[in-house]
Amino acid sequence: MVATASSREAYGKALVELGREFPNIVVLGGDLNKSTFTTLFAQEHPERFFDFGPAEQNILGVAAGLAMSGKIPFVSTFVVFGTSRAYDQLRVSVAQPHLNVKLVLTHAGILTGEDGMSAQGIEDLALMCALPGFTVVVPADAAETVHAVRAAAETQGPFYVRLSRPATPLVHGDTGCSFRIGKAEVLRDGRDATIVACGSMVATALEAAQTLQSEGVGCRVINMHTLAPLDEEAVVRAAEETGALVTAEEHYVHGGLGSLVAQTLALHHPTPLEMVALHGYAESGKPELLLEKYGLTAPYVAQAARRVLRRKG
Amino acid sequence: MPEEHFSPMASVSGGQASAAPVADVWPTLGVPFLLRNPRDLGPLARHLRRQVLLTIAAANSGHPGGSLSAVEIMTALYFCLMRHDPRNPHWPDRDRFVLSKGHCTPILYSVLAECGYFPREELATFRRINSRLQGHAHIMAPGVDASTGSLGQGLSFGVGAALAGRLERKNYRVYVLLGDGECDEGQVWEAAMSAAHYRLDNLIAIVDRNRIQNDRFTDEVMELEPLADKWRAFRWNTLEVDGHNIEQVLGALKAAPQEKGRPTVIIAHTVKGKGVSFMENNPDFHGRAPTPTELERALKELEGVG
């Protein structure tokens, strides 16, 4: 049984710590603060916590005003509300003036489960990567979330961190994680193919690599925690050294990790690529059943690797 | 102030679309950027109206109507009321101004130039490539605190700036200028609700109630009335003034901070295109530059007013 932990809970706890360290951090919520665990910050630093109710457009505008006045606003709500609902505000009020706003959103992708497609953010990576200047990070587990949130506080400029609803497997063992913005992490080496994954799919990729190993196929697994700026060098190196790539993400197939890797390969080192991703909106259901139905489990990733190996020539 | 300071434009008429630098024809006013006596502001307001038209004409693009309707409001704010320092645009204690109706940059830039944030000649680069003076307000222009241009976002920014001021225990104030058509945007009311909830008495909104939006009269596009009652219902201290009467505008702006525990909105009743007969109340001049002939006529009209 793989150990799991809640990234959003890790975020809530980390934010309390950062709040002590950074007096300029303020936290803005939209009536989902129990779910995002920002209530922990609110308890510790009530004077620096502001709830605006479900009014995300206003929240992002307020965050811009706070950032322009030297504060470090962390905005937390669900992925769907914090990205698509307030996209024009992210664009004009935050990204265009390149303000120091931190967006840490939870309930990403189909792991959100029973709430169904309206609550399942599957377009957010495309949206956020389309905003020039935004750093976009998808932590692979709770440990990496803590590092990512600290990096967000320490880095000047707009920053997005994408978190899941349920507890997810811990992919970083006793060695800990060496998170650096824009620097991909090789979790496992191999010479036959590379699986590039982000978020909850990193653990799935490792599982698939294990299966492939038993078939004599050596798979490199890259945790591409930062989508913007993308570690293009790691992608190109994987293309050169393994000659076949698979991307795995819990996001729509257009505009997310797969698209970014495909763009990098097309521009710098054309290489066979298969993408494991969603191909449309999903539905209500238990997360594990949704992953199975929509093709996001380890056997599907392994199958994609076998496909790409056949194309490798 | 002697009248001749305000009429150096003869050489400009007809030349508005030329790419040539206009430094030699740009009006010079030479006023100190702080004027304590509102009676002195009449000639300044008239000068700013000309500057607005010249700026738009130089770009052959821009929004004259809502710039001209806001002249007295902007003049009162920047020359009489706000604490700001053009030599130090990021002075932490400055009063903040947010042009939520971000298309009305011609009056904002004209005022900022007159205050000394950047050379007056730079107005001729408005909307041109490589200029800091973007079509809609952007913080790359010295003195611009908020990037706007998509309607409805400025009041939220103002709420954030006001909250920051309170957290920092600073006594600066935040002024947000909204268009009336802009009040169609739902975000305005999200922001209004939150400003009242957080009792932001350091936040002052001004609605330029010129009754015309992009296509048509506001009454035809989307009924706003009773506008003052709407703000009152959102628990704002609500004042109404003649937005072209500087003393009334100043009076309301000065009364606003006396109101403790809630934000103030000033509904400034104005005339779109104010000061130029054929632009007044004319939806056609919401967002287009005057032709050379129209510019000449407009400048001539503005010379004649006392």
Side-chain angles (χ1 to χ4, degrees):
Chain A
M1 191 65 194
V2 192
T4 62
S6 161
S7 292
R8 56 190 166 111
E9 188 174 356
Y11 160 59
K13 289 176 177 167
L15 197 55
V16 173
E17 292 298 320
L18 289 168
R20 291 184 193 130
E21 204 175 317
F22 294 82
N24 281 343
I25 286 181
V26 293
V27 177
L28 313 182
D31 197 28
L32 290 168
N33 307 305
K34 287 182 282 187
S35 299
T36 60
F37 283 88
T38 49
T39 44
L40 300 177
F41 185 96
Q43 284 156 18
E44 172 105 3
H45 312 284
E47 74 292 350
R48 288 193 269 151
F49 177 82
F50 302 98
D51 195 346
F52 288 92
E56 295 78 14
Q57 303 175 42
N58 185 39
I59 295 174
L60 267 305
V62 172
L66 284 158
M68 191 64 185
S69 311
K71 296 295 171 190
I72 309 173
F74 274 74
V75 173
S76 284
T77 176
F78 290 178
V79 163
V80 284
F81 305 132
T83 60
S84 47
R85 182 62 184 249
Y87 197 63
D88 191 44
Q89 287 70 21
L90 286 169
R91 180 176 170 271
V92 175
S93 286
V94 177
Q96 290 181 353
H98 196 70
L99 293 179
N100 198 25
V101 171
K102 315 302 172 186
L103 201 56
V104 183
L105 305 179
T106 68
H107 294 58
I110 57 173
L111 287 182
T112 300
E114 290 86 343
D115 280 342
M117 66 180 86
S118 72
Q120 295 165 353
I122 66 163
E123 318 91 332
D124 58 304
L125 295 176
L127 291 169
M128 298 310 292
C129 288
L131 292 172
F134 245 96
T135 301
V136 177
V137 171
V138 191
D141 63 9
E144 195 165 80
T145 299
V146 175
H147 288 267
V149 174
R150 169 166 290 278
E154 290 172 346
T155 310
Q156 187 68 27
F159 207 108
Y160 172 46
V161 180
R162 179 195 215 230
L163 304 177
S164 300
R165 177 192 188 189
T168 50
L170 291 165
V171 300
H172 295 94
D174 300 336
T175 49
C177 77
S178 57
F179 177 83
R180 267 178 55 205
I181 296 170
K183 183 80 185 144
E185 182 186 33
V186 178
L187 287 174
R188 177 189 174 111
D189 208 1
R191 290 279 152 179
D192 300 317
T194 300
I195 306 172
V196 185
C198 66
S200 64
M201 293 302 287
V202 173
T204 312
L206 286 168
E207 194 185 333
Q210 193 69 40
T211 306
L212 291 161
Q213 186 66 52
S214 65
E215 298 167 12
V217 175
C219 259
R220 180 177 299 183
V221 175
I222 292 178
N223 168 22
M224 191 62 80
H225 47 67
T226 309
L227 269 64
L230 190 79
D231 188 347
E232 296 189 331
E233 204 185 310
V235 173
V236 171
R237 202 179 316 117
E240 287 168 352
E241 294 175 3
T242 71
L245 281 85
V246 172
T247 56
E249 64 195 308
E250 196 202 331
H251 184 271
Y252 187 40
V253 69
H254 292 295
L257 177 64
S259 293
L260 293 167
V261 169
Q263 177 177 319
T264 306
L265 292 177
L267 289 172
H268 302 293
H269 200 278
T271 305
L273 172 73
E274 292 284 327
M275 297 181 192
V276 176
L278 293 162
H279 289 266
Y281 287 114
E283 64 190 82
S284 290
K286 287 190 187 308
E288 59 274 22
L289 297 180
L290 292 174
L291 291 172
E292 175 60 37
K293 176 168 177 179
Y294 291 92
L296 297 185
T297 55
Y300 286 102
V301 176
Q303 197 53 41
R306 292 181 200 108
R307 278 200 308 275
V308 83
L309 282 167
R310 284 198 293 275
R311 290 171 53 199
K312 192 173 169 182
Chain B
M1 266 162 285
E3 182 62 27
E4 49 271 26
H5 283 193
F6 307 101
S7 48
M9 347 273 191
S11 55
V12 174
S13 46
Q16 82 287 356
S18 108
V22 295
D24 53 332
V25 298
W26 214 252
T28 49
L29 187 59
V31 291
F33 85 91
L34 275 177
L35 287 175
R36 291 294 174 194
N37 187 348
R39 277 194 298 274
D40 296 339
L41 291 179
L44 174 57
R46 195 148 42 78
H47 164 76
L48 289 167
R49 286 200 157 83
R50 289 183 195 155
Q51 197 138 282
V52 160
L53 294 174
L54 286 165
T55 301
I56 294 169
N60 198 21
S61 159
H63 297 77
S67 293
L68 293 172
S69 64
V71 166
E72 281 77 13
I73 297 165
M74 295 293 286
T75 307
L77 282 169
Y78 273 88
F79 293 90
C80 282
L81 191 84
M82 280 169 45
R83 289 164 302 176
H84 64 125
D85 180 359
R87 289 154 304 177
N88 185 10
H90 296 288
W91 178 34
D93 293 325
R94 72 193 182 282
D95 288 332
R96 269 68 166 169
F97 175 76
V98 180
L99 184 70
S100 193
K101 46 179 221 156
H103 53 286
C104 294
T105 41
I107 182 58
L108 175 61
Y109 296 154
S110 292
V111 164
L112 291 175
E114 215 51 62
C115 289
Y117 282 91
F118 46 80
R120 197 180 283 113
E121 292 74 22
E122 199 170 329
L123 291 170
T125 70
F126 175 55
R127 286 180 173 248
R128 287 177 190 262
I129 195 162
N130 297 325
S131 172
R132 297 187 290 185
L133 307 184
Q134 298 293 296
H136 291 75
H138 188 280
I139 61 169
M140 72 174 76
V144 174
D145 277 324
S147 289
T148 53
S150 182
L151 293 176
Q153 301 194 19
L155 192 57
S156 299
F157 186 101
V159 169
L163 280 174
R166 178 189 289 175
L167 283 166
E168 293 289 310
R169 299 184 202 288
K170 290 190 181 297
N171 59 2
Y172 67 71
R173 298 193 181 106
V174 183
Y175 299 91
V176 181
L177 180 61
L178 297 128
D180 51 359
E182 183 180 9
C183 293
D184 293 356
E185 292 281 2
Q187 187 185 352
V188 170
W189 304 101
E190 293 182 6
M193 206 185 322
S194 65
H197 178 82
Y198 286 109
R199 303 180 186 284
L200 296 174
D201 50 18
N202 53 350
L203 178 66
I204 296 110
I206 304 139
V207 179
D208 183 357
R209 183 73 171 110
N210 61 34
R211 311 192 83 89
I212 291 174
Q213 55 199 103
N214 187 68
D215 282 357
R216 289 180 292 160
F217 289 88
T218 55
D219 289 355
E220 296 166 2
V221 175
M222 184 54 61
E223 184 63 71
L224 281 170
E225 294 299 336
L227 185 59
D229 287 346
K230 286 188 173 71
W231 287 95
R232 283 189 198 102
F234 277 74
R235 298 194 293 130
W236 282 58
N237 174 39
T238 305
L239 307 172
E240 294 191 71
V241 299
D242 170 352
H244 298 305
N245 181 325
I246 283 182
E247 297 190 38
Q248 273 194 35
V249 173
L250 257 182
L253 286 168
K254 285 179 176 166
Q258 314 308 320
E259 185 75 16
K260 296 297 170 206
R262 56 184 185 146
T264 291
V265 60
I266 299 166
I267 297 174
H269 295 279
T270 60
V271 174
K272 194 135 178 173
K274 175 73 175 178
V276 179
S277 61
F278 58 92
M279 291 186 178
E280 286 191 1
N281 261 317
N282 181 355
D284 187 35
F285 282 99
H286 168 86
R288 79 159 174 92
T291 64
T293 318
E294 286 168 342
L295 176 68
E296 197 168 1
R297 261 183 77 194
L299 293 175
K300 196 158 285 173
E301 280 190 21
L302 286 165
E303 275 169 28
V305 191

